[in-house]
Amino acid sequence: MAGSREIRNKIKSVKNTQKITRAMEMVAASKMRKAQDRMKKARPYGEKIRNVAAHMSRANTEYRHPFLIERDTVKRVGIVIVTSDKGLCGGLNTNVLRKALNQMKRWEAEGEQLEVCCIGNKGLGFMSRIGANVISQVIALGDTPDIAKLIGAVKVVLDGYTQDRFDRVFIFYNRFINTMKQEPVMEQLLPLTDERIQGVESANERPNTSWDYIYEPEAKPVIDDVMIRYVEALIYQAVAENMASEQSARMVAMKAASDNAGNVIDELTLIYNKSRQAAITKELSEIVGGAAAV
Amino acid sequence: MGTVFHLDIVSAEESIYSGPVEFLVAPAQMGEVGIYPRHTPLLTRINSGMVRIKAQLKDEELVYVSGGVLEVQPDVVTILADTAVRSHDLDEAKAIEAKRAAEEAMKNRESELDYAKAQAELMEAMAQLAAIDKLRKRKH
């Protein structure tokens, strides 16, 4: 019976692991619901600010914001990468980092200079390990995508754009499609593309562009404010989506882990019972053999 | 129509108010503004403070906003409320902090951008995942 004790210990340890993965699965499930709510709540703001931006770009503004102006030469690219802070969420971060890396390789081959802003610990770790030029970072966001924490890192990127350090800015994150599916996506942040600006309002478009807002105190600072908030809202939305993706990916991964642990336990129990029976059979045949010899 | 307009107060984290409104007072940067229906288009920053809302057949309501942007169209008024207290200096300080943290992290990086190494690292992770997937499928 030397092997059976070891098997029993192994079963116990797998059972403990299973308890942990079960607990993590349930935690992720409840966090996922909250993260999805938050993602949905962020949408009205994004839509409203897009409407304002659309009105503004259509109105006869005397000042055109740099975010709206397409540049001819693209020599330097800013990249915002949104990842999770923690692991144990399947291929979520790997997928988005791989997408980013492939794109970066392509850009580098075209002779463009790259600077990276990392949101989330996993992306930061990866980018600094491979030696990318990280210009700003936010980590330890927690479970709520707090806009106050994002402002600083985003500002570094936006300033880089307005000061001509970048000609374009892209964002990589995981789009939440449903609980089972998340998709790594790349989107252009700056300059703001037409579809981003026009999108919502194009249905009831007013061809008459002879009106303009009254700006208080002045046009430039107000437009600057709106534009910065718009880009922040886009990034916030991306972070919120990425968090919902993270929680659902973790839930799925932990469910798989619990199932696997269950399989392992079943197999080990089978082996344990077999070895127990073998031992009994052996003992019996020894006794019978001994009795026959006498 | 013409006696009410639609008001939306939204912040990045939630929608605070949405509905038809008769009259509105907001703390704009240049002083409080009162808005009735068919106001001329206006775009202004607002300070933190109370927004007074008078809806039809209802008492006045007070909503606190911590600053943001007020957009007025003849029939639609939108307040984009900030969720964070902000000012130029505050934002600047946060930016510097984010930059500093990044520079700190960059200090102990190894060398130039090494794509081969990165690719290898990612491929390994992907391979592990694929292997786990395969193992799972084979079992069932």
Side-chain angles (χ1 to χ4, degrees):
Chain A
M1 292 285 279
S4 67
R5 174 181 291 269
E6 277 157 30
I7 297 171
R8 254 203 332 254
N9 285 342
K10 186 84 195 157
I11 291 177
K12 211 188 273 167
S13 111
V14 175
K15 269 189 182 152
N16 284 336
T17 310
Q18 194 186 28
K19 270 183 208 152
I20 295 168
T21 55
R22 277 251 173 79
M24 284 182 78
E25 181 192 336
M26 277 182 299
V27 170
S30 84
K31 279 186 182 168
M32 181 188 76
R33 244 164 270 142
K34 278 187 211 138
Q36 279 181 34
D37 279 353
R38 238 173 268 123
M39 185 180 83
K40 278 176 199 139
K41 275 187 186 155
R43 269 183 199 149
Y45 185 82
E47 273 165 32
K48 289 291 169 335
I49 201 158
R50 175 152 76 169
N51 285 354
V52 174
H55 290 154
M56 236 163 48
S57 70
R58 216 164 327 120
N60 254 343
T61 49
E62 59 264 46
Y63 164 65
R64 242 181 124 59
H65 196 273
F67 289 179
L68 296 168
I69 299 165
E70 188 85 33
R71 298 189 186 158
D72 302 332
T73 53
V74 180
K75 276 279 133 229
R76 286 141 308 177
V77 180
I79 302 162
V80 180
I81 296 180
V82 186
T83 52
S84 70
D85 276 329
K86 291 172 189 153
L88 293 179
C89 45
L92 193 80
N93 291 322
T94 320
N95 284 338
V96 75
L97 288 174
R98 195 170 51 146
K99 193 175 178 81
L101 192 74
N102 286 342
Q103 191 61 45
M104 283 166 75
K105 205 172 174 185
R106 214 166 302 146
W107 278 325
E108 186 116 310
E110 286 164 18
E112 286 162 24
Q113 281 165 18
L114 307 172
E115 288 181 21
V116 186
C117 163
C118 292
I119 300 174
N121 210 358
K122 289 284 159 187
L124 178 69
F126 180 75
M127 284 300 156
S128 56
R129 249 198 326 282
I130 66 164
N133 191 7
V134 181
I135 50 161
S136 68
Q137 64 168 65
V138 217
I139 52 168
L141 276 175
D143 294 326
T144 44
D146 192 354
I147 211 158
K149 282 187 190 156
L150 297 176
I151 290 171
V154 171
K155 191 172 161 49
V156 174
V157 177
L158 299 186
D159 284 352
Y161 185 80
T162 40
Q163 290 159 8
D164 284 351
R165 284 220 334 274
F166 310 133
D167 303 310
R168 271 191 297 172
V169 178
F170 288 86
I171 185 166
F172 292 87
Y173 66 99
N174 278 290
R175 176 175 287 153
F176 181 87
I177 294 169
N178 56 42
T179 314
M180 300 302 291
K181 195 163 189 248
Q182 300 86 35
E183 200 178 55
V185 289
M186 173 184 97
E187 283 174 2
Q188 183 171 333
L189 266 187
L190 296 175
L192 291 163
T193 48
D194 280 350
E195 59 190 293
R196 277 225 148 117
I197 288 292
Q198 248 81 37
V200 178
E201 288 279 301
S202 54
N204 49 353
E205 185 147 13
R206 278 180 244 187
N208 176 12
T209 56
S210 60
W211 62 280
D212 195 359
Y213 290 108
I214 299 169
Y215 296 96
E216 271 185 34
E218 270 174 79
K220 190 174 173 301
V222 178
I223 293 175
D224 284 353
D225 261 24
V226 171
M227 281 304 170
I228 287 171
R229 276 173 180 71
Y230 181 44
V231 177
E232 279 171 2
L234 290 174
I235 294 175
Y236 178 86
Q237 182 78 38
V239 173
E241 289 224 11
N242 199 68
M243 280 189 177
S245 302
E246 176 195 348
Q247 295 302 346
S248 51
R250 179 165 302 132
M251 191 186 75
V252 171
M254 287 301 116
K255 184 165 172 35
S258 304
D259 291 351
N260 286 344
N263 290 342
V264 171
I265 290 170
D266 286 350
E267 275 167 33
L268 285 176
T269 315
L270 200 68
I271 296 169
Y272 173 69
N273 286 340
K274 269 187 189 157
S275 82
R276 194 170 52 96
Q277 274 169 346
I280 293 169
T281 315
K282 201 175 122 203
E283 243 170 74
L284 269 179
S285 65
E286 272 168 12
I287 293 166
V288 172
V294 175
Chain B
M1 286 306 283
T3 60
V4 290
F5 59 90
H6 189 83
L7 170 68
D8 283 301
I9 304 181
V10 288
S11 78
E13 278 157 23
E14 60 187 335
S15 168
I16 300 167
Y17 189 97
S18 178
V21 164
E22 276 183 330
F23 175 59
L24 160 81
V25 178
Q29 212 170 33
M30 306 288 283
E32 290 218 320
V33 287
I35 292 156
Y36 281 104
R38 315 226 45 86
H39 194 285
T40 189
L42 168 74
L43 197 65
T44 179
R45 287 199 280 211
I46 53 175
N47 296 330
S48 62
M50 290 295 180
V51 177
R52 271 191 3 239
I53 303 161
K54 174 76 182 80
Q56 252 176 335
L57 307 173
K58 271 192 207 158
D59 286 339
E60 267 190 0
E61 245 182 278
L62 286 173
V63 173
Y64 174 79
V65 290
S66 60
V69 176
L70 168 74
E71 189 223 14
V72 182
Q73 294 264 342
D75 306 313
V76 188
V77 173
T78 313
I79 294 179
L80 302 160
D82 288 339
T83 43
V85 181
R86 23 196 335 179
S87 70
H88 187 75
D89 294 344
L90 220 60
D91 287 6
E92 195 70 51
K94 277 179 178 156
I96 290 167
E97 172 59 27
K99 233 184 200 160
R100 196 198 53 76
E103 275 159 13
E104 195 88 338
M106 296 297 289
K107 263 185 198 158
N108 42 19
R109 72 166 178 168
E110 282 151 23
S111 59
E112 280 301 290
L113 194 63
D114 188 347
Y115 281 107
K117 195 177 152 201
Q119 206 114 32
E121 195 176 308
L122 281 178
M123 288 316 284
E124 196 184 314
M126 293 309 288
Q128 279 171 357
L129 284 165
I132 291 165
D133 224 38
K134 236 180 223 164
L135 221 70
R136 272 176 65 71
K137 282 209 184 96
R138 212 187 54 192
K139 283 219 173 125
H140 295 301

